[in-house]
Amino acid sequence: MTKIVLTGGGTAGHVMPHIAMLQAYKKVGWEIIYVGSFGIEKALIEKENIPYFAIQTGKLRRYFSFRNLSDLFRIVWGFAQSVYLLIKIRPDLVFSKGGFVSVPVAFAAWILRIPVVSHESDLTPGLANRLIAPICRFLFYAFPDTRALIRVKASAEAGIPVRPSLYRGDKDRGLGFCGFKP
């Protein structure tokens, strides 16, 4: 059975596309494990009954903050935890959605020679995806204009995965709920 580690987090935007793809992964028989932080992704993924492992991680702020210093140690610790987890899990692939938690996981996978694939949902690539792009076997992106900002050849436009439940919404109910006029 193919075993995939999903990673990404910090915001729901990094997690929801993973959730949108879960049924497709299960349909082809893949075993899914999630490695994230102690943030929002933990609660979202645990609702999906997916094995979840939390690691320490830090955020690289692009402005002066004393937290940058302590977060460097958290990133190094998260990398060590990721190496340990990936050796224990032995996945066939790591699929990153970006966000600060994905950086130590992706680099641990690269060190262990586990292929890394990533997806960028934003028009402008985020810092995490820019950092891991050189080690990715393939990088998917959502918008045609993003291609000019991606510095890897192995890439393709893929759009953004959407949960099937969103297609079952009721237009009139949505308009009424938001107070919009048709």
Side-chain angles (χ1 to χ4, degrees), residues 6-26:
L6 305 178
T7 188
T11 69
H14 297 292
V15 183
M16 297 314 284
H18 274 317
I19 290 173
M21 295 298 296
L22 288 177
Q23 290 308 316
Y25 299 153
K26 289 176 183 178

Side-chain angles (χ1 to χ4, degrees), residues 14 55 88 112 118 122 138 147 160 177:
H14 297 292
I55 62 166
K88 181 178 163 185
L112 297 171
S118 191
D122 295 334
F138 205 87
R147 177 65 197 118
I160 300 174
F177 178 78

Side-chain angles (χ1 to χ4, degrees), residues 171-180:
K171 177 183 170 185
D172 294 326
R173 190 169 151 233
L175 288 169
F177 178 78
C178 293
F180 296 149

